[in-house]
Every structure is written in structure tokens, then in C-alpha cells.
Amino acid sequence: MFYIFHGDHQLNSRQALNSFLDQKNDFDILRIDSKEINLDQINGFINSPSLFSKPKIIVFLNFFSIPKPILDKLKKIIETNPEFDIVIWQDKTIPPTQLKYFSKARVETFTVDKIIFQCLNQLYPGNIKKFIPLFHRVLNQEPFELFLYWLKNHLRRQLTSYSKFNQQALKSAYIHIIELDYQSKTGQLAISKDTALEKILVSLLTKW
């Protein structure tokens, strides 16, 4: 059986994946990250006898981010071992063309609320009046970490392409956001993370 958890809402998809695996206490589980693919490890897991004859599950994190030559080999391994359950978690929405390969899979899709993207679209010089109310709405209804993830992506794209912001101001804001994220995770922030982020973005919005 195939199970797929994907979508832009990484927090919800991760929680759903973990909840699903928590219910599989009677399975032997092998987790494979796309950055650490080891075909020998996978073959060893498949071919070795399971303790107490437990059924097996292979969990692939970001399966569709694996380089094609290795991905093709993995697909052959999967096709020749249909008795194992395969679980795939992808950190973004998988396009239909890729999902076709797992046409019989149980698929769960987790999407980000449009308000996050509406808020990011209002992030441009001088637009404080429209941006700040949306910013507060987002933080009231969505996890801070989720918005921060999309904000960093948004600014990073602008740093490598066109932006209405002054590049130096944009770079400074991006660095301050990275520092905020680190300080928040290590308990070093002297003020709330919401307030700290708002100060950075207000400063950016007032610079041309």
C-alpha cells in the first residue's frame, strides 16, 4: 500500500505523517531522507528478516527530490517488492504528473491558507497601511514558523531576482530574520517573536 502526504502546509503534513506512523507500532519502520539515500541500506532492510516477523514500512522524506538516476532505481526496488508499505512525505505540492506513478496511493494534501500569500504580496516599499493588518491576521490564525518559512522564501527569491526594495535594505532584513529565527529557537529573544518580526518588516517597508 502507498501513502502520500504532501502540500505547502508543511507543519500540518508533518503532523499527519507522524500521527500515521505513531499508529504503526507493530511495524518495522525505515525512514529515508532524500539527501541521504543509501540503496544498500534499503535493500538490506527489505531482505533482512524482521524481528518477531513484523511487517515493514519504508518512509521516504522528499521522495520526488531524489535525483532521477537514483529515483529510477528506487522505483524498480519498489516495483519488485509490493509486499511492503511505502509512505512518502513531500515538503511541497506534488504535481499530478508525478502522482500518476502512485495512482493507487492514499493521498493527503495540505495547503497553506491564501491569506499568507496575500500578506506577502502586500510586502513592498511604503505599503505599511495595508501590510500590517494582514500581517496581524496571519499571525493570529497561522503558526508563526509557517509564515516565517514562506517569508524567508519570498525575500530570498527577491534577493536573487527583481525586487522593489533597495537590495542592501532587503539583504539586511533577511539577515535579521535569520537571526530572529535562531534567537527564537534558542530562547535568546528579549521580546516576543511576533513583535521582533514586525519591527524588522516595518523598517524594511519604510526604506526605498
Side-chain angles (χ1 to χ4, degrees), residues 39 66-75:
L39 296 178
I66 298 169
K68 190 178 184 304
I70 299 176
L71 191 61
D72 290 341
K73 292 179 181 179
L74 277 177
K75 287 179 178 179

Side-chain angles (χ1 to χ4, degrees), residues 123 125 155 157-167 170:
L123 185 62
L155 297 184
R157 282 197 300 271
Q158 292 193 44
L159 282 168
T160 57
S161 59
Y162 170 76
S163 176
K164 294 180 180 179
F165 288 109
N166 172 277
Q167 281 292 306
L170 186 63

